[in-house]
Amino acid sequence: MIGVAARTFDQEGSRIYRGGLDRDDVTARRISRTATLDGGCLISDMGASVSDKNITIEINNASSDEIIFARYITETYGSVTLTTEISCYSAAPESCTVKDGVLTLKFLIEGQLS
């Protein structure tokens, strides 16, 4: 179960996707590697940040109401509240696509709210 809600009051701005699959909950470190003149390398590790997460929600056999809401939230808001079983996030809706009855919503995480 995944919840999506507008950050400001909007009577039509929230929905719970039951059975939604959190398919792409990825955590990464802020790390880079630079080649050095002696043939070695320098690794800079700046740690991990929740803002490096990307979360993708897939809904199989999405209803027309679910699709309409997903398009509305993606087109209207630059920042939403996204709740998963793990945590609550501030997120930017990146895209909304529908293909063969599968609704896919992609979010870029801005920060963790709880």
Side-chain angles (χ1 to χ4, degrees):
M1 185 165 34
I2 298 170
V4 179
R7 306 278 318 256
T8 58
F9 176 77
D10 182 344
Q11 199 164 4
E12 302 296 324
S14 65
R15 177 168 298 272
I16 294 176
Y17 287 103
R18 300 185 192 289
L21 176 63
D22 182 355
R23 170 175 76 75
D24 194 23
D25 186 2
V26 177
T27 302
R29 295 184 68 80
R30 293 181 175 193
I31 194 165
S32 66
R33 179 176 54 195
T34 305
T36 58
L37 293 176
D38 65 359
C41 69
L42 173 67
I43 294 181
S44 299
D45 186 350
M46 303 302 169
S49 172
V50 71
S51 63
D52 293 329
K53 282 180 175 277
N54 298 318
I55 294 180
T56 300
I57 302 169
E58 285 187 349
I59 309 292
N60 293 316
N61 302 317
S63 70
S64 61
D65 286 342
E66 290 172 325
I67 294 168
I68 290 167
F69 173 79
R71 288 182 177 151
Y72 171 74
I73 209 81
T74 302
E75 293 172 354
T76 307
Y77 294 101
S79 181
V80 298
T81 299
L82 180 69
T83 57
T84 68
E85 293 177 2
I86 298 170
S87 191
C88 180
Y89 304 100
S90 172
E94 180 182 30
S95 65
C96 163
T97 57
V98 179
K99 184 175 181 180
D100 299 327
V102 178
L103 169 63
T104 304
L105 282 160
K106 293 185 179 183
F107 295 91
L108 303 176
I109 302 303
E110 297 170 310
Q112 189 168 5
L113 300 175
S114 69

